[in-house]
Amino acid sequence: MPADGPAEGPRLNPVERFVVAMNRGDIDGAAAAFHPDFEMIVPQHPSRNFQGRDQEMRNMQHLITTYPEGRIEVQRMAETPSEIWIESTFTAGDLEVAAVVIYEVDRETGTIRSGRYYSERVDRVGPGINEWIEGLDGDAAP
């Protein structure tokens, strides 16, 4: 998929529509991809869980406003009848965030109903694997 996402057309799934809209800075287009009762689950950080498309759009508006040059690049996507799994990066200047999101899709409305969000800021100069794994003993944060 190109950096701006696939060419628009009626066959885009809601995640593709979201990516295209975000890369254009189109918050209304992004909102149209989400169900009003959208729920985000962040397993590593449960305090970041939330419900509601409005909160998701506040989050996306912050990204668009703060990082207008930011782009989502999709590395891979897999789709079943009820889920869309996506691996992507969001890059803006010195900021790079890698994410895997498992989206549940409401096929009746053609919108994203929920997401399980796994992400981390990319650290290209941090500790190597040996230092990282040894840090899991509780003395250092992973």
Side-chain angles (χ1 to χ4, degrees), residues 38-43 100-104 114-118:
F38 173 73
E39 177 182 20
M40 181 62 81
I41 300 162
V42 186
V100 172
V101 187
I102 304 167
Y103 288 110
E104 179 186 333
S114 68
R116 294 185 68 82
Y117 185 72
Y118 302 87

Side-chain angles (χ1 to χ4, degrees), residues 99-116:
V100 172
V101 187
I102 304 167
Y103 288 110
E104 179 186 333
V105 175
D106 180 338
R107 293 295 177 187
E108 188 174 308
T109 62
T111 59
I112 300 167
R113 180 68 183 87
S114 68
R116 294 185 68 82

Side-chain angles (χ1 to χ4, degrees), residues 31-112:
F34 288 87
H35 192 280
D37 297 326
F38 173 73
E39 177 182 20
M40 181 62 81
I41 300 162
V42 186
Q44 316 91 309
H45 305 282
S47 64
R48 297 180 192 170
N49 295 350
F50 63 87
Q51 289 192 305
R53 174 176 54 200
D54 291 345
Q55 180 63 55
E56 179 68 357
M57 290 309 98
R58 282 192 295 274
N59 299 346
M60 296 305 103
Q61 184 64 55
H62 177 79
L63 286 178
I64 288 171
T65 302
T66 306
Y67 305 102
E69 76 286 6
R71 294 289 173 267
I72 299 170
E73 183 177 339
V74 176
Q75 279 74 44
R76 60 187 48 87
M77 183 181 302
E79 188 171 349
T80 72
S82 62
E83 292 181 333
I84 299 171
W85 294 47
I86 181 174
E87 178 185 357
S88 64
T89 55
F90 176 79
T91 306
D94 291 339
L95 175 65
E96 184 179 4
V97 177
V100 172
V101 187
I102 304 167
Y103 288 110
E104 179 186 333
V105 175
D106 180 338
R107 293 295 177 187
E108 188 174 308
T109 62
T111 59
I112 300 167

